[in-house]
Amino acid sequence: NAMLGAFEAACVKALIPCVVVGGVPFFTRKEVLDVLAYAALIQHDSVTQCERIVNRPKRFLGKAFTDALKGAHRGGTDIVATIQDLAAGRFARGATALADDIARLRAAGWPSSADVAEHNLKGLGLIHGMLRPPPETGERADDTDIAGLYAAAVAIAATFPDARSLVAFAMECGAKVAGVSETGDVQRAAQGRVTISTIHRAKGLEWINVFLSASEGVFPHKRSIGAAAAGKPERLAEEARCFYVAVTRARDTLTCSWSAENLYGKEAGPSRFLD
């Protein structure tokens, strides 16, 4: 799921209609919207965005706080100062933490293209840790990668020169990228569109041409590589079976690609499965 965003963004930028199979499109996922809200707050005073992330991570601030924030904040004033004023009252602990987090993002600032080239994402880079993704251990019933979703959203955000253009593009993607259930009529929904799907949700389906992202650290995932090194080879075996599912979705042509770096800015290269 974390990989969907890059493909959705590329299709929208290239004016190519696309449809996402299963789940929800990347730019409408709650994890991605949380990243966008924090990103917007780096450069803008927005009560709406504050409402979204007020308890991400948990700060024990309820409706009473958001109502107080709406009533106290005035356009043109620094929202951090407004939150700090509220922290002087009954919202002390949570409001102080919220104000400190936003102030930390603003102090770091928005990355320039030179910063991004050097993997210094500044304020955007702090968001991933601020949201405190769950530990990357243990099994899940699906292929959702929460930490990867945060990392992917931050990486996409860093390709924009400012928060305003990022949010505008995310809204465009949310409006243009369609979604269809894997139990629905995928072929009809995908007619005239590029289909974007995770491998789990592509089981049983087939396309004339398939493009597969096969970077080491993404496929197989770095978690499975780590598990195999720790004595659980079955994790890599499961990913190999997934790879088989992926490559057999293609009827006529299969194109595999990889990148030098993965979502986390770590060295990647071609997947071991390609050999």
Side-chain angles (χ1 to χ4, degrees):
N1 282 292
M3 295 296 295
L4 295 178
F7 290 105
E8 288 182 34
C11 284
V12 171
K13 286 179 180 178
L15 304 181
I16 298 172
C18 60
V19 60
V20 174
V21 177
V24 293
F26 183 82
F27 290 94
T28 60
R29 296 190 69 110
K30 65 180 181 62
E31 296 88 355
V32 176
L33 293 174
D34 290 346
V35 171
L36 294 176
Y38 270 120
L41 286 167
I42 293 175
Q43 295 185 319
H44 300 286
D45 295 313
S46 172
V47 173
T48 301
Q49 303 292 19
C50 267
E51 278 190 278
R52 170 150 202 100
I53 52 84
V54 68
N55 281 309
R56 295 182 179 90
K58 193 69 176 174
R59 299 187 182 93
F60 305 98
L61 294 170
K63 187 175 182 299
F65 172 79
T66 55
D67 287 346
L69 180 61
K70 289 177 186 176
H73 187 65
R74 297 290 179 268
T77 59
D78 184 349
I79 200 166
V80 174
T82 304
I83 297 171
Q84 287 172 336
D85 288 342
L86 293 173
R90 58 192 176 113
F91 305 110
R93 181 175 148 194
T96 298
L98 176 60
D100 288 348
D101 283 343
I102 298 174
R104 191 154 54 98
L105 294 179
R106 291 183 172 186
W110 195 274
S112 66
S113 56
D115 292 323
V116 175
E118 296 175 0
H119 302 295
N120 177 17
L121 300 186
K122 293 197 167 182
L124 292 174
L126 298 176
I127 295 173
H128 183 277
M130 194 172 289
L131 286 166
R132 297 178 191 145
E136 297 183 352
T137 57
E139 303 292 338
R140 291 186 64 108
D142 59 15
D143 57 339
T144 300
D145 177 6
I146 303 300
L149 283 167
Y150 290 141
V154 166
I156 291 172
T159 65
F160 288 85
D162 52 52
R164 195 176 301 281
S165 56
L166 165 66
V167 173
F169 179 75
M171 291 177 65
E172 181 183 3
C173 289
K176 288 184 176 179
V177 179
V180 60
S181 167
E182 65 265 41
T183 60
D185 191 341
V186 175
Q187 299 300 337
R188 175 176 291 184
Q191 193 166 11
R193 297 173 179 265
V194 166
T195 305
I196 304 175
S197 175
T198 64
I199 294 157
H200 290 87
R201 297 185 187 278
K203 289 177 181 177
L205 301 175
E206 183 183 63
W207 290 267
I208 296 172
N209 307 297
V210 167
F211 294 81
L212 174 65
S213 180
S215 296
E216 186 77 1
V218 174
F219 199 6
H221 196 279
K222 62 188 183 74
R223 288 183 302 191
S224 297
I225 295 172
K232 295 181 179 179
E234 65 274 11
R235 291 288 292 274
L236 275 180
E238 173 61 26
E239 293 240 13
R241 288 190 287 272
C242 246
F243 189 79
Y244 177 80
V245 169
V247 299
T248 54
R249 298 310 91 201
R251 194 182 79 188
D252 293 345
T253 71
L254 171 69
T255 303
C256 295
S257 65
W258 59 86
S259 57
E261 297 177 347
N262 63 22
L263 289 170
Y264 305 92
K266 304 297 183 181
E267 184 177 346
S271 167
R272 65 188 66 190
F273 294 146
L274 292 174
D275 289 333

